[in-house]
Each structure stands twice: as structure tokens, then as C-alpha cells.
Amino acid sequence: MRDWLIALPKAELHIHLEGALEPELLFSLAQRNRVALPWADIDALRAAYQYRDLQAFLDLYYQGAQVLQTAQDFYDLTWAYLKQSAAQGMVHTEPFFDPQTHTERGIALPVVLEGIQAALADGRRELGVSSGLILSFLRHLPEAAAMQTLEAALPYRDAFIAVGLDSSEAGFPPRLFERVFARARAEGLPGVAHAGEEGPPEYIWEALECLQVRRIDHGVRACEDERLVQHLVDIQMPLTVCPLSNQRLQVFPRLAEHPILKMLERGLNVSVNSDDPAYFGGYVGDNFVALHEHLGMTRGQAGRLAENSLAAALAPRG
Ligand code: HPA
Ligand code: ZN
């Protein structure tokens, strides 16, 4: 079953490239770029990968991203992610990156894009993995900063397939970003947004109504609002669920209590994704295997989850 789940062709629709930075690469880039790290060695860094909530994880994730400086660094990061995930059945991916995490510390957007795009092109050619990049705004920063980021990215419009919204959720509702998502849509860029990971079901309603998103990232807290669940079923809104992430960030501390299969059987359009594979202990195939081991997911259910991921892609496949 494990081999079958790994080989199953699947798309990944919820992965942050900065979250694919494995400790080994993090240390080697720190050395290459002469960045001082607060951890003595790789083991000490790994020992820090225990999170009481989303913010505890984000603090570490933004700190780790400081080692990314040159186009080659972004290439190495993206290529390592593609190779690892292609070996787990991934045939298509729509990764996020957070421009503000890099531009805020003086790394120019074209440098970031050059490395990521070169790796995605090699992924298409050498691994047969099709892809489309999503420019994600940091919601703990003001909408004006997101708008500036979008304007600075528009000269590279063809590099992106959509815009996203991530980072600290509680206290930063989607409605705050209504104008920047409207501006993106006017440029032909659809939106997706993290909602209902730690935030309440109202944030999912807002992502739908204020941001007019095409997918909800996470969305697991929809289960607390039956009217919302019925609406999401009716419109077949894709929800990009991340089981190992939810476990590690204490959204569902026990994987056996994760609702993804109940959501699938309720008719919700759910898929399986890794979110931040280096920080949460597994790539997309590992997430499928964990669902089989902890929730008894059947082949039929795995097949439907994989089909949902392929059907919810925004970028063309192949
Ligand atoms: N949630 C919000 N922001 C993020 C995440 C996440 O799980 N991972 C990286 N940025
Ligand atoms: Zn995420």
C-alpha cells in the first residue's frame, strides 16, 4: 500500500517553497553566504522543530529563510523540493513563495524569481513536473505593503498564475486584503487564501466573498459551521488540506482525529498537501502514507483525493 500511495500520480497545491528548506541545505547555504545561525548544528536545529502553534513555527520559518540570498540559493531550494516530491508521485505543483520575506531584507524580486523559475523549468524538462507559481502576500503586514509587492511584481506578470495570502492568521482577516486581490484579478491573476487553519469559519466566508478566491488553503475549521460546509460542497470549492502540518501545529494534535476523510465523505473537494515539508516531517506522498497509517484511508479514498488535486489545478498540466 505504501508504494502504491507514493506512486499514485498527484498534484501539490499547497506548498511554501521557503518551507521546503531542509536543515542540511539551510546549514550549507549559511556557510556559502556567511550567515551566522543561532543553532550549533543540524541536530540542534531539528530539535527546535516543535511548535506550540502557527506563530511558533512562523518565527523559525522566517529565521531559516534568511540564508536564501542568491538566485542559485533559490534554485537549489526549488530543485531539491521538485526532485523529492517527484519521487513521491507528484506530477504537478503550484508552489507559493513569499516575496516580502526576501525584499524586506534587501534581496531583489528578480533574483528570487530567476532561481525559482530556472528550477521550475528544469523540473518540467527533466522530471516531467508541470507547475505554476503563486505570489503570496504576508497578512501580518499592511495591505499597502501587499499592494506595493503586487505592483513591483507586475513587470514579471507571466511568472505567476495566482496570488495567495499566508502568515499569521488570527487577527488578520481576509477582508483587509480586498483591494489588492481585486487589483490582482484585474490583471488576470486569480486568488487563493489561507483561511480556517487557526482562524474561524468567518475567515473562510470572507475569503470567498471579499477576495473571491478560487481555492481555500487549509479550510479545516469549516467543519465548525454546517451552513458553510454545505456551501463549500455546493460550489465544490477546493480545500487544500495539510494533515502533517495540522498535526505539528496542534490544529489536530493527533492525526487519528484529523477530519479530512470525513470531509471527503461529506462531499467536500479536499486534497492532500505538505505545506512546509522540511518543517513538518513529510512531503506530499508522506502525507498520503500517514493518512493510511493513522486514519485507515483506503485506496479508493486516496484515488479521489489525488484526482481532486489534479482537477483543482489553476495552471495547465503537462
Ligand atoms: N500557514 C500560514 N502561513 C504559512 C504557513 C501556514 O501553514 N506556512 C508558511 N506560511
Ligand atoms: Zn500554508
Side-chain angles (χ1 to χ4, degrees):
M1 181 77 169
R2 187 182 190 284
D3 292 349
W4 186 87
L5 289 170
I6 293 287
L8 183 65
K10 51 185 82 72
E12 176 149 68
L13 305 176
H14 185 160
I15 147 79
H16 305 260
L17 287 174
E18 294 88 347
L21 183 56
E22 291 285 351
E24 289 76 11
L25 183 58
L26 194 157
F27 265 79
S28 86
L29 295 184
Q31 199 168 33
R32 189 152 99 186
N33 296 326
R34 300 177 206 289
V35 176
L37 294 175
W39 309 282
D41 54 30
I42 290 173
D43 288 341
L45 173 56
R46 271 195 202 287
Y49 286 3
Q50 304 209 23
Y51 323 103
R52 79 190 155 268
D53 57 16
L54 173 60
Q55 192 58 50
F57 154 70
L58 288 171
D59 292 345
L60 208 62
Y61 161 91
Y62 293 127
Q63 194 168 20
Q66 309 283 315
V67 304
L68 295 162
Q69 305 207 343
T70 67
Q72 185 67 46
D73 300 343
F74 286 94
Y75 179 93
D76 293 348
L77 168 69
T78 307
W79 179 248
Y81 159 70
L82 291 169
K83 242 173 86 174
Q84 182 70 28
S85 306
Q88 297 196 358
M90 186 185 77
V91 298
H92 181 85
T93 182
E94 299 188 352
F96 301 114
F97 79 115
D98 296 332
Q100 289 156 291
T101 298
H102 312 301
T103 53
E104 275 208 326
R105 56 195 175 86
I107 314 293
L109 182 64
V111 170
V112 178
L113 278 180
E114 180 190 332
I116 294 175
Q117 283 190 292
L120 293 178
D122 285 354
R124 264 174 231 123
R125 204 175 45 241
E126 293 177 34
L127 304 170
V129 173
S130 51
S131 53
L133 187 59
I134 304 179
L135 182 159
S136 201
F137 304 119
L138 299 181
R139 72 201 303 163
H140 68 270
L141 298 176
E143 190 193 38
M147 194 66 92
Q148 265 177 14
T149 301
L150 177 61
E151 296 296 345
L154 284 178
Y156 313 95
R157 162 72 188 77
D158 292 348
F160 314 111
I161 58 153
V163 296
L165 188 66
D166 64 10
S167 192
S168 322
E169 187 179 5
F172 302 98
R175 67 173 180 277
L176 299 175
F177 297 87
E178 187 162 0
R179 281 165 301 181
V180 70
F181 272 65
R183 173 90 180 91
R185 272 198 314 285
E187 294 292 336
L189 286 165
V192 300
H194 284 54
E197 177 186 21
E198 281 191 345
E202 294 80 71
Y203 284 19
I204 301 175
W205 283 113
E206 283 185 21
L208 298 173
E209 290 168 358
C210 304
L211 308 186
Q212 298 181 35
V213 293
R214 302 274 293 271
R215 294 195 295 251
I216 296 284
D217 296 311
H218 293 295
V220 286
R221 287 196 59 194
C223 300
E224 298 166 26
D225 178 347
E226 179 50 31
R227 194 172 69 88
L228 175 59
V229 168
Q230 187 58 51
H231 181 61
L232 294 168
V233 171
D234 289 345
I235 63 174
Q236 281 298 291
M237 176 60 53
L239 308 178
T240 62
V241 176
C242 308
L244 287 174
S245 164
N246 291 158
Q247 182 200 12
R248 297 293 292 273
L249 298 187
Q250 318 296 332
V251 177
F252 299 101
R254 284 171 35 84
L255 213 48
E257 280 154 22
H258 198 285
I260 185 167
L261 297 183
K262 285 194 195 103
M263 294 169 81
L264 179 70
E265 298 309 333
R266 176 70 180 78
L268 286 163
N269 184 352
V270 286
S271 60
V272 177
N273 304 270
S274 69
D275 207 5
D276 299 280
Y279 289 89
F280 300 147
Y283 288 77
V284 63
D286 299 316
N287 273 266
F288 273 84
V289 170
L291 291 180
H292 173 63
E293 289 176 350
H294 294 268
L295 283 174
M297 177 183 65
T298 65
R299 283 190 190 208
Q301 289 173 321
R304 281 152 60 206
L305 289 162
E307 269 170 36
N308 286 349
S309 71
L310 294 164
L314 291 170
R317 282 225 296 129

